[in-house]
Amino acid sequence: MKEFQVDVAVIGGGPAGLAAALEARKQGIEKVLLLERDTSLGGILQQCIHDGFGLHRFNARLSGGQYAQRFIDQLDGSGIEVKLDTIVIDMTDEKVIYACNPTDGMMRIQCGAIILAMGCRERTASQVLIYGTRPAGVMTAGAAQRYINMEGYLPGKNAVILGSGDIGLIMARRMTLEGIKVKGVYEVMPNPGGLTRNIVQCLDDYGIPLHLSTTVTRIEGKERVERVTVAKVDEKRNVIPGTEEVIDCDLLVLAVGLIPENELSRQAHLEMDRKTRAPLLDNNFMTSCPGIFAAGNVSVVFDLVDYVSLSGEIAARGAAKYLAGKLPEHPQYRTVTHSDRINFIVPQRVELSADEDLTFFMRVTAPYKNARLVGKCGETVICNKRHQAMVPPEMLECTVKVAPQQEIYFSVEEG
Ligand SMILES: Cc1cc2nc3c(=O)[nH]c(=O)nc-3n(C[C@H](O)[C@H](O)[C@H](O)COP(=O)(O)OP(=O)(O)OC[C@H]3O[C@@H](n4cnc5c(N)ncnc54)[C@H](O)[C@@H]3O)c2cc1C
């Protein structure tokens, strides 16, 4: 087995990993190694050919590939070592990575610090429990996106989409543009799962119906999907008898949520957060294992790639502090608390001594109109920002100055 030693290893070459690796070098870290299992960099952005990426960071409407390319271009001459076609198969809490690729074979890499940037996975049919058979033609929205945008195949002719997450909405438009008849998007919840702009631009503009509080209850077909049954659900998500409707289709696209890619995090016994289903993070985006950091969708599923990149940079700055011995050996934390109108906040905890500007990401539990996001550190109001609308799918970002020792609390207030 080949042995390597690096200062920082970044696992995953998507937007989080790219931003983290570049920021690590900017922070003066000497040996930065970027490991990517795919044969090219960019992560999931490679298959996102629609625009709308980078509105915040670059004030431009870029495609996913164009956004990623802006970071990939900076790698030239940066001194960052990139290993493609390289999968990390194990990671220990001693900051040892085991990886392999066709050139080096098996590798043992001792790291000063590790930044996890492995992205997320899509939930599948078996995770949403739909009755019936499992014929060809049932796939996740990401798989359909890859077939159409990268492989050049049409995965069906008549599609039903289950779930109104952003990828599903974007695929409703994409499939329509490619000549697939999208018969409807069915969402079990009473509110859409995706951003309002995607509902308008991807469904309304193309006359694709969105059916809320409705789900797919059965899949039928022997070799290939032939039809699905949809039905209305009550507020407890129980099917309402008598509302069933059969829809002929040859493609069922599932856009039923994303889950952080947690295999390596679990192998290293990182403490996980129940709400984000990702490693518990501190203000440096450091996990419960000192020296192991997380960024991007592996740390919490973000809606905007701009935030993904920002989280990569925060984690890299944390790794630089860790390597310079500027983080306490045994950090003491205060938990960031919030009202029940907020579902979760990342990072979940802040070092007691932290006396600096910190960025927090959070999601609300229900839609609120003309409400204020209020943050307090002790008795001091550190954030009081009015939002015309706050909806659960949209991540709220807020950068505030925190003082040492004081309790940090966020709430959503009317008016
Ligand atoms: C299918 C899909 C489609 C999406 N489409 C859109 C969209 O249209 N618009 C939008 O705004 N957002 C979209 N998103 C959200 C998007 O994921 C984020 O905006 C952003 O790309 C996440 O960046 P990331 O770097 O955290 O993860 P990713 O972009 O997923 O990158 C993670 C990288 O880590 C690599 N990796 C994982 N495990 C290992 C390992 N063990 N060893 C080595 N490498 C590894 C992967 O190969 C991948 O390249 C989509 C997400 C998914 C899953």
Side-chain angles (χ1 to χ4, degrees), residues 7 21 45 109 222 255 276 298 301 313:
D7 297 324
L45 295 187
I109 307 166
K222 207 165 171 215
T276 59
V298 82
V301 175
E313 289 160 353

Side-chain angles (χ1 to χ4, degrees), residues 11-17 35-38 40 42-48 50 53 86-89 117-122 141-143 145 167 170 197 258 261 264 295-298 302-305 308:
I11 309 176
L35 302 162
E36 169 54 56
R37 68 181 169 194
D38 202 347
S40 49
I44 210 76
L45 295 187
Q46 298 174 87
Q47 64 185 59
C48 300
H50 56 279
F53 293 85
T86 304
I87 185 159
V88 175
I89 50 177
M118 294 94 67
C120 59
R121 297 183 175 182
E122 296 174 277
Q145 191 177 48
I167 312 170
I170 283 159
R197 73 164 198 231
L258 302 170
E261 179 68 66
L264 297 174
N297 282 356
V298 82
F302 286 95
D303 53 345
L304 290 181
V305 73
V308 167

Side-chain angles (χ1 to χ4, degrees), residues 4 30 63 75 88 94 99 129 150 209 219 230 240 279 304 315 319 342 345 373 376 382 397 399 401:
F4 295 89
E30 196 65 29
S63 70
L75 289 175
V88 175
E94 300 287 303
L129 296 174
M150 294 186 79
I219 301 168
V230 298
I240 304 173
L304 290 181
I342 294 174
I345 298 186
L373 176 65
K376 283 187 175 172
I382 49 174
E397 180 247 346
T399 300
K401 169 93 171 66

Side-chain angles (χ1 to χ4, degrees), residues 183 220 226-231 243-249:
K183 296 201 162 175
E220 285 177 66
E226 289 167 20
R227 68 197 73 84
V228 298
T229 305
V230 298
T243 61
E244 292 87 355
E245 190 189 333
V246 175
I247 302 173
D248 290 334
C249 63

Side-chain angles (χ1 to χ4, degrees), residues 108-173:
R108 181 185 185 279
I109 307 166
Q110 176 66 62
C111 314
I114 297 173
I115 301 176
L116 308 176
M118 294 94 67
C120 59
R121 297 183 175 182
E122 296 174 277
R123 292 174 79 205
T124 59
S126 56
Q127 288 164 310
V128 287
L129 296 174
I130 308 171
Y131 293 110
T133 50
R134 289 289 178 271
V138 182
M139 66 185 69
T140 65
Q145 191 177 48
R146 187 170 176 104
Y147 273 130
I148 297 175
N149 292 353
M150 294 186 79
E151 315 287 344
Y153 292 114
L154 282 190
K157 289 184 179 145
N158 290 293
V160 164
I161 301 181
L162 175 60
S164 59
D166 287 313
I167 312 170
L169 301 177
I170 283 159
M171 285 315 294
R173 175 177 64 185

Side-chain angles (χ1 to χ4, degrees), residues 6-264:
V6 298
D7 297 324
V8 171
V10 180
I11 309 176
L18 288 166
L22 288 163
E23 182 64 24
R25 279 294 292 142
K26 272 191 207 139
Q27 294 294 319
I29 299 173
E30 196 65 29
K31 275 187 160 180
V32 179
L33 174 62
L34 180 57
L35 302 162
E36 169 54 56
R37 68 181 169 194
D38 202 347
T39 48
S40 49
L41 293 168
I44 210 76
L45 295 187
Q46 298 174 87
Q47 64 185 59
C48 300
I49 63 169
H50 56 279
D51 70 358
F53 293 85
L55 290 171
H56 289 227
R57 180 170 281 252
F58 298 118
N59 197 21
R61 293 177 68 89
L62 306 172
S63 70
Q66 287 170 323
Y67 183 93
Q69 198 58 44
R70 293 207 175 185
F71 292 83
I72 296 168
D73 288 345
Q74 295 175 50
L75 289 175
D76 256 358
S78 68
I80 296 167
E81 186 183 354
V82 179
K83 282 188 186 292
L84 295 176
D85 213 357
T86 304
I87 185 159
V88 175
I89 50 177
D90 200 1
M91 174 181 77
T92 74
D93 50 10
E94 300 287 303
K95 299 188 288 293
V96 174
I97 283 175
Y98 293 91
C100 63
N101 69 25
T103 322
D104 298 293
M106 272 301 293
M107 289 172 273
R108 181 185 185 279
I109 307 166
Q110 176 66 62
C111 314
I114 297 173
I115 301 176
L116 308 176
M118 294 94 67
C120 59
R121 297 183 175 182
E122 296 174 277
R123 292 174 79 205
T124 59
S126 56
Q127 288 164 310
V128 287
L129 296 174
I130 308 171
Y131 293 110
T133 50
R134 289 289 178 271
V138 182
M139 66 185 69
T140 65
Q145 191 177 48
R146 187 170 176 104
Y147 273 130
I148 297 175
N149 292 353
M150 294 186 79
E151 315 287 344
Y153 292 114
L154 282 190
K157 289 184 179 145
N158 290 293
V160 164
I161 301 181
L162 175 60
S164 59
D166 287 313
I167 312 170
L169 301 177
I170 283 159
M171 285 315 294
R173 175 177 64 185
R174 185 79 191 104
M175 291 194 291
T176 303
L177 290 172
E178 288 298 337
I180 298 174
K181 172 75 187 154
V182 179
K183 296 201 162 175
V185 175
Y186 295 85
E187 169 59 59
V188 73
M189 302 300 285
N191 299 303
L195 301 175
T196 311
R197 73 164 198 231
N198 284 334
I199 302 282
V200 175
Q201 293 172 8
C202 301
L203 299 188
D204 298 352
D205 287 359
Y206 293 85
I208 300 167
L210 170 63
H211 304 270
L212 297 172
S213 300
T214 311
T215 191
V216 172
T217 55
R218 179 173 285 278
I219 301 168
E220 285 177 66
K222 207 165 171 215
E223 301 295 320
R224 172 105 209 169
V225 179
E226 289 167 20
R227 68 197 73 84
V228 298
T229 305
V230 298
K232 288 269 174 208
V233 298
D234 62 21
E235 55 290 345
K236 288 188 180 149
R237 288 198 238 167
N238 295 319
V239 170
I240 304 173
T243 61
E244 292 87 355
E245 190 189 333
V246 175
I247 302 173
D248 290 334
C249 63
D250 60 357
L251 177 62
L252 173 64
V253 171
L254 302 168
V256 285
L258 302 170
I259 307 170
E261 179 68 66
N262 285 325
E263 299 299 314
L264 297 174

